[in-house]
Amino acid sequence: MADSPEQFRGKSRLPRFAEPLRYDLLLRPDLAACTFSGSAAVAVAVSAPTRFLVLNAAELSVDGSSIRFQDLAPTEVVQFEEDEILVMGFQQELPVGEGVLTMNFTGTLNDQMRGFYRSKYEYKGESKNMAVTQFEAADARRCFPCWDEPAFKAKFKLTLQVPSELVALSNMPVVKDTVHGPLKTVYYEESPLMSTYLIAIVVGLFDYIESSTLEGTKVRVYTQVGMTSQGKFALDVGVKSLDLYKDYFATPYPLPKLDMIAIPDFAAGAMENYGLVTYRESALLYDEKLSSASNKQQVAITVAHELAHQWFGNLVTMEWWTHLWLNEGFASWVSYLAVESIFPEWNNWTQFLDETTSGLRLDALAESHPIEVKVNHVSEIGAIFDSISYDKGASVIRMLQSYLGAERFQKALASYIKKYAYSNAKTEDLWAVLEEETGEPVKDLMTTWTKQQGYPVIYAKLNGQDLELEQAQFLSDGSSGPCMWIVPMTSCCGSYDVNKKFLLKDKTDKIHIKDFAASQIADRGQNFWIKLNIDQTGFYRVKYDDELAAGLENAVKTKKLSLMDMIGIVEDSYALSVACKQTLTSLLRLLNAYRHESDYTVLSHVTSVCLGVDKISADATPDLSRDIKQLLIKLLLLAAKRVGWDPKDGESHLDAMLRSLLLIALVKLGHDETINEGIRRFHIFLEDRKSSLLPPDNRKAAYLAVMRTVSTSSRAGYDALLKIYRETSEAQEKSRILGSLPSCQDKDIVVEALNLMLTDEVRNQDAHDVLRGVSLEGREVAWAWLKENWDHVLKTWPSSQLVSMFVNYIVSPFTSEEKAAEVSEFFATRVKPSFERALKQSLERVRISARWIKSIKREPNLARTVHQLLLQEV
């Protein structure tokens, strides 16, 4: 066993006795046959005695007879498919030092949006294939045999043989190409040291537009032929982002060029391949006439995120997937910094709280995971590309920056990038540099946030002139874990000028308020309030005692608080209500204090909470559900009337976003006037697609309104939307329609919308648009549909992220213990590591809802409060 290939099976990492230094790769994709062939010559450094070479290969046919190391042929060649490794055994021990490994191989251009795959596009009415790569996390091995782990950095020299009329792109610029009749050979410059997951190849028909950074780096956006005008916005953001990051990280952009390209079939939102960033079309293309304000913002954030990776991820790369958050958390955080600088009028840091909220919601599950998660097998990597790595990661970085101060933080980051450029780093390496640069106990502080899952809720209680604090792990199921954190606390009293910062290191602590707010505590009148976690920079929740909560509710009404604090208060209150730590009755009272709010950033959180309350009340208190809907409508109506249906000349970007947000919410809550107006405008739009009565920002609301009237016997609205879907080539418009079709209250129509995903009409990447649109009335049929089509779903959407999405969107909306048991039973014999975490999290959400419903049913004053609030003057 010790001397056989078997010894390398079942390991999470490759052995370190041989490492690649440089790859020379030739690839020949055949776009008609959907296959490819290739050859590799890899300079390998053998550092310890071995007669084996072990590297990764998956779904490749390696020609064993072509393998040579120097002039040695292996005596055994074994591919272990389940381990995705290729083991070559030689007659005698290999000499220590450098040698060249050569081999030939073939593979399939698959349709699974990973590895080397094909994507369909139309050119002059004809369907064509393009060849595309997506290698993160561990799919370079599906294109060529390689040491497919981030720490095995090497230089890459690529050569492609492709049809001569096509554009062939890779990470580096083209050195030369030679044409031989129908084929051309394209030679690329050698890359600097980089990880395999960042290699990229795209072959197809494209146009491009280009610009340059201040340093003279050429930046291009490639699109399908005739669509380059839709790439202008991303190009502009891209150039500005590169200029900004060069200064922020105090390091020039590392490569000679940067290309960004839109791919029709793409599993993620985008991928930061070094020098050739790939995007799904809706994340890169922006059309003034067809895209909404929120699409525009999404493109800006996505471009800024991917380009941040060129430094944080590509130049300095995580040592192993355990440290994925270093890549994703940082790119998420710094993308907001870039967009705030480019578009200050978007109030982007306030919108960052969307990320924090999504991290806090997921991390309140017992089935969450720490930011740093142990990865034992390659199949587990996909499951950690989630809201913890991205959103919690970004939020704890914001918390640390706020604690250390922006300037000190930036200087330390620049030192980190310089120190680890062209190599790999672990989380501890970053803490060490930050500690060295700032003299603060960064490692001790941050380890409590990255090595253990969850976060605390801080209980705040006023006792005389002391504020008593106690921390406990916050979980949405109402229980409390044993963990403790070092919490960077901030507090202010009656005014933002009167504030205090400190670290909460123990389970309990006490602040003497008179030490920093003597006059405020002495005069505890009507306008007295204390707010902890100023501007929500900390990743924790706060539960105030009744006196403090009443003071903050009054501060919300009288607009004494910052936008970020207005958001924090409503989000904490909603989370505490879900966990049955406060009543739904008190949450509704608090929501009512926001009825004069007109700011988009605050109202986006208020509407999200309103829709959550609407959903739970439908199951918890069906008799009161209609009145609760009316109350929630009343809350949003003032702001909705202010923005109306028609855009105003010169209105702000945020008002355009607000209009869309409120109209959609009012339609979902069943507001007849909004629904009827949406339908009226839709019919005008059907006759004239250029009508100014239904601009892109308002279409989703109108489409949802139309679907509320559709049934099996009256399906004209469904058919009309499907017709628009078939006629548009615009990805964002297609997405709006796919999200509207299953929102119908008629179950048969919901099934029809779900079945669309099984046809060629919907690209596999767009399934999530359909899944997240399913109405409350469609829950049961969606679950029946999933059970019936499970084998097909697993085969068609095999990657962890995609299959997890089906489980999450279809299971999570249920709210009973019985349903949780039924789902568990179905999956008992079908669960796989790729979606096990998503299944456990979804079941936990169902049980949390069931517990919340029981609690709501026991609230004595709910009906009376709802009726009182309904009667209040607006």
Side-chain angles (χ1 to χ4, degrees):
M1 175 75 178
D3 200 37
S4 87
E6 292 287 329
Q7 65 182 302
F8 302 108
R9 298 185 68 174
K11 303 277 195 292
S12 62
R13 310 269 297 256
L14 292 171
R16 309 286 308 197
F17 48 61
E19 301 195 11
L21 303 170
R22 183 172 171 278
Y23 292 79
D24 222 318
L25 293 171
L26 166 66
L27 290 167
R28 293 176 290 262
D30 182 334
L31 293 168
C34 296
T35 57
F36 63 90
S37 60
S39 59
V42 191
V44 178
V46 178
S47 56
T50 175
R51 69 175 198 89
F52 292 102
L53 289 177
V54 186
L55 61 163
N56 295 111
E59 295 166 16
L60 289 176
S61 201
V62 178
D63 175 4
S65 66
S66 71
I67 300 175
R68 293 287 180 279
F69 182 67
Q70 300 300 66
D71 49 3
L72 301 173
T75 48
E76 48 196 328
V77 177
V78 192
Q79 231 173 315
F80 295 114
E81 267 304 335
E82 67 280 20
D83 292 303
E84 302 185 346
I85 58 171
L86 172 70
V87 182
M88 293 157 284
F90 295 84
Q91 190 76 51
Q92 69 248 35
E93 274 190 0
L94 303 174
V96 170
E98 210 178 300
V100 176
L101 173 69
T102 54
M103 66 182 80
N104 300 331
F105 51 91
T106 56
T108 305
L109 287 175
N110 68 69
D111 60 356
Q112 297 186 348
M113 297 184 285
R114 63 177 183 175
F116 203 8
Y117 72 92
R118 62 185 187 267
S119 173
K120 280 193 165 56
Y121 65 108
E122 296 262 318
Y123 178 68
K124 294 185 174 170
E126 202 183 319
S127 177
K128 289 188 171 296
N129 286 326
M130 63 175 78
V132 189
T133 56
Q134 167 60 38
F135 290 164
E136 190 178 31
D139 292 320
R141 63 192 67 182
R142 287 179 163 70
C143 180
F144 56 95
C146 55
W147 280 259
D148 199 11
E149 293 178 11
F152 287 112
K153 283 194 167 182
K155 294 180 173 182
F156 290 82
K157 198 169 188 192
L158 264 68
T159 305
L160 295 178
Q161 258 180 19
V162 296
S164 38
E165 74 280 6
L166 299 183
V167 173
L169 302 172
S170 187
N171 308 78
M172 300 299 289
V174 174
V175 180
K176 62 166 187 170
D177 55 14
T178 54
V179 179
H180 309 280
L183 289 179
K184 66 178 172 185
T185 306
V186 187
Y187 302 86
Y188 299 89
E189 275 179 37
E190 184 172 277
S191 77
L193 287 170
M194 62 185 285
S195 302
T196 48
Y197 78 90
L198 294 165
I199 295 289
I201 297 160
V202 181
V203 181
L205 281 171
F206 302 100
D207 281 346
Y208 69 85
I209 44 172
E210 75 176 25
S211 182
S212 296
T213 65
L214 296 171
E215 300 276 284
T217 304
K218 196 173 277 181
V219 182
R220 288 180 174 178
V221 170
Y222 283 84
T223 68
Q224 289 191 50
V225 175
M227 288 167 73
T228 52
S229 64
Q230 295 182 36
K232 282 190 176 120
F233 177 68
L235 181 65
D236 183 48
V237 172
V239 169
K240 286 177 176 160
S241 297
L242 288 183
D243 285 332
L244 188 137
Y245 292 145
K246 168 186 69 69
D247 293 339
Y248 190 81
F249 295 123
T251 303
Y253 171 68
L255 297 182
K257 60 93 176 171
L258 174 78
D259 296 329
M260 303 194 283
I261 185 162
I263 306 295
D265 298 281
F266 199 78
M271 175 62 212
E272 69 267 20
N273 315 298
Y274 222 177
L276 175 55
V277 183
T278 44
Y279 296 79
R280 66 167 55 200
E281 291 186 332
S282 59
L284 185 71
L285 305 181
Y286 172 74
D287 184 319
E288 290 285 349
K289 295 188 183 67
L290 296 169
S291 306
S292 66
S294 61
N295 293 142
K296 183 177 194 175
Q297 196 170 285
Q298 200 47 52
V299 168
I301 285 281
T302 308
V303 168
H305 177 106
E306 302 311 326
L307 299 199
H309 276 308
Q310 306 302 308
W311 284 263
F312 231 103
N314 301 8
L315 181 61
V316 178
T317 310
M318 68 219 153
E319 190 276 333
W320 178 239
W321 299 103
T322 295
H323 309 282
L324 170 72
W325 85 278
L326 275 181
N327 274 14
E328 298 306 345
F330 257 92
S332 297
W333 172 79
V334 88
S335 67
Y336 277 80
L337 186 118
V339 173
E340 177 81 12
S341 164
I342 301 168
F343 301 104
E345 69 280 9
W346 289 4
N347 208 345
N348 215 47
W349 274 123
T350 307
Q351 294 195 55
F352 179 81
L353 293 185
D354 297 351
E355 315 278 323
T356 304
T357 299
S358 116
L360 286 166
R361 286 191 184 172
L362 180 53
D363 210 25
L365 299 181
E367 290 293 348
S368 177
H369 62 85
I371 281 181
E372 290 184 68
V373 67
K374 200 166 162 45
V375 175
N376 298 310
H377 191 269
V378 68
S379 65
E380 297 167 14
I381 300 170
I384 58 172
F385 281 80
D386 64 4
S387 201
I388 300 298
S389 299
Y390 285 72
D391 303 332
K392 181 182 181 180
S395 301
V396 299
I397 287 159
R398 176 173 178 247
M399 175 167 73
L400 180 61
Q401 185 220 25
S402 162
Y403 174 70
L404 295 175
E407 213 167 297
R408 284 204 297 176
F409 188 68
Q410 177 181 354
K411 272 182 69 178
L413 276 188
S415 302
Y416 168 79
I417 293 281
K418 279 197 173 62
K419 183 170 181 180
Y420 291 100
Y422 300 106
S423 67
N424 298 77
K426 298 179 175 173
T427 302
E428 294 74 32
D429 298 324
L430 176 62
W431 299 157
V433 172
L434 284 164
E435 222 164 79
E436 204 176 302
E437 295 279 331
T438 65
E440 296 282 354
V442 175
K443 183 170 185 271
D444 289 349
L445 165 65
M446 293 309 289
T447 297
T448 65
W449 296 94
T450 65
K451 296 249 193 244
Q452 59 185 8
Q453 78 178 53
Y455 58 87
V457 54
I458 310 294
Y459 293 94
K461 189 169 143 209
L462 209 51
N463 186 356
Q465 301 203 341
D466 289 338
L467 184 62
E468 295 177 347
L469 304 174
E470 181 178 348
Q471 65 161 305
Q473 184 175 352
F474 178 78
L475 289 161
S476 291
D477 66 7
S479 67
S480 185
C483 302
M484 292 263 294
W485 286 263
I486 298 177
V487 190
M489 297 289 299
T490 48
S491 64
C492 58
C493 183
S495 149
Y496 285 94
D497 298 331
V498 184
N499 60 58
K500 183 176 170 65
K501 276 182 158 182
F502 59 99
L503 286 178
L504 174 63
K505 294 179 174 175
D506 301 310
K507 176 103 179 124
T508 59
D509 204 347
K510 199 179 278 190
I511 310 178
H512 305 300
I513 293 177
K514 66 172 185 300
D515 291 352
F516 76 102
S519 61
Q520 282 83 358
I521 193 77
D523 176 29
R524 257 157 75 180
Q526 175 81 40
N527 294 322
F528 173 77
W529 54 270
I530 291 176
K531 171 74 177 59
L532 297 174
N533 196 10
I534 301 169
D535 284 343
Q536 301 306 108
T537 53
F539 194 76
Y540 55 90
R541 301 209 181 272
V542 182
K543 164 86 170 89
Y544 297 93
D545 69 13
D546 291 348
E547 182 186 348
L548 292 169
L552 281 170
E553 194 174 309
N554 189 50
V556 167
K557 272 185 199 144
T558 51
K559 305 247 169 152
K560 295 280 194 312
L561 302 174
S562 70
L563 297 175
M564 291 188 191
D565 283 334
M566 299 274 280
I567 292 167
I569 288 165
V570 75
E571 286 290 356
D572 281 1
S573 188
Y574 177 63
L576 290 160
S577 184
V578 171
C580 309
K581 300 261 181 224
Q582 69 167 66
T583 59
L584 177 61
T585 310
S586 64
L587 174 63
L588 289 172
R589 276 214 174 86
L590 174 69
L591 280 169
N592 193 52
Y594 287 81
R595 67 188 186 279
H596 293 286
E597 186 50 60
S598 59
D599 180 86
Y600 165 77
T601 57
V602 176
L603 283 171
S604 74
H605 290 264
V606 170
T607 52
S608 151
V609 169
C610 286
L611 293 169
V613 167
D614 175 50
K615 277 183 189 146
I616 203 73
S617 65
D619 288 344
T621 55
D623 300 347
L624 196 56
S625 176
R626 198 182 144 74
D627 288 342
I628 288 177
K629 272 186 204 296
Q630 291 313 307
L631 176 60
L632 300 172
I633 287 167
K634 182 181 161 189
L635 250 174
L636 302 175
L637 216 44
L638 270 181
K641 288 200 161 125
R642 179 180 76 81
V643 289
W645 273 88
D646 296 303
K648 320 278 184 293
D649 281 346
E651 73 179 359
S652 70
H653 166 81
L654 292 178
D655 271 352
M657 302 252 295
L658 181 61
R659 177 177 301 108
S660 170
L661 173 87
L662 292 172
L663 292 176
I664 288 170
L666 289 171
V667 169
K668 286 182 173 176
L669 291 168
H671 183 239
D672 291 336
E673 199 183 314
T674 306
I675 290 167
N676 294 335
E677 183 59 13
I679 293 167
R680 183 184 81 79
R681 286 171 183 255
F682 177 74
H683 286 301
I684 295 168
F685 173 68
L686 264 188
E687 297 305 310
D688 170 18
R689 300 286 167 82
K690 293 192 170 67
S691 166
S692 62
L693 283 177
L694 202 60
D697 286 305
N698 300 2
R699 283 184 200 162
K700 181 75 184 274
Y703 297 168
L704 289 169
V706 165
M707 286 309 300
R708 285 184 83 88
T709 66
V710 167
S711 64
T712 324
S713 55
S714 166
R715 47 176 300 132
Y718 181 92
D719 294 333
L721 277 171
L722 205 50
K723 183 170 188 289
I724 298 170
Y725 176 81
R726 286 169 176 155
E727 288 170 0
T728 184
S729 62
E730 212 268 326
Q732 290 155 352
E733 177 74 339
K734 281 186 182 290
S735 167
R736 280 192 279 270
I737 294 169
L738 288 178
S740 305
L741 295 176
S743 70
C744 188
Q745 287 153 317
D746 185 304
K747 292 170 183 172
D748 293 337
I749 298 286
V750 173
V751 173
E752 199 170 323
L754 290 167
N755 282 335
L756 259 186
M757 287 192 291
L758 307 179
T759 69
D760 288 346
E761 287 209 66
V762 177
R763 293 182 188 268
N764 289 347
Q765 65 166 20
D766 295 332
H768 72 103
D769 287 322
V770 181
L771 293 167
R772 66 179 175 196
V774 173
S775 61
L776 218 50
E777 295 80 4
R779 283 181 298 193
E780 284 293 349
V781 290
W783 168 234
W785 178 91
L786 184 67
K787 287 189 289 187
E788 194 179 317
N789 293 289
W790 180 248
D791 293 341
H792 177 78
V793 164
L794 211 49
K795 203 165 78 227
T796 313
W797 290 273
S799 82
S800 173
Q801 270 169 305
L802 295 171
V803 72
S804 294
M805 178 179 75
F806 277 84
V807 173
N808 185 5
Y809 282 126
I810 288 179
V811 174
S812 295
F814 288 113
T815 59
S816 73
E817 289 286 356
E818 296 73 28
K819 187 54 74 174
E822 182 194 322
V823 171
S824 289
E825 193 181 332
F826 174 78
F827 281 114
T829 55
R830 295 175 173 88
V831 73
K832 285 186 158 56
S834 58
F835 65 89
E836 186 174 11
R837 181 171 274 142
L839 175 63
K840 285 177 171 172
Q841 288 172 348
S842 302
L843 288 168
E844 188 180 349
R845 286 189 191 99
V846 175
R847 295 188 173 111
I848 286 162
S849 296
R851 182 173 175 272
W852 191 19
I853 284 172
K854 281 189 192 127
S855 171
I856 292 169
K857 285 182 189 294
R858 291 196 298 269
E859 288 189 29
N861 302 320
L862 182 59
R864 193 170 79 234
T865 303
V866 169
H867 295 135
Q868 275 172 356
L869 293 173
L870 269 173
L871 291 171
Q872 253 186 32
E873 290 296 313
V874 169

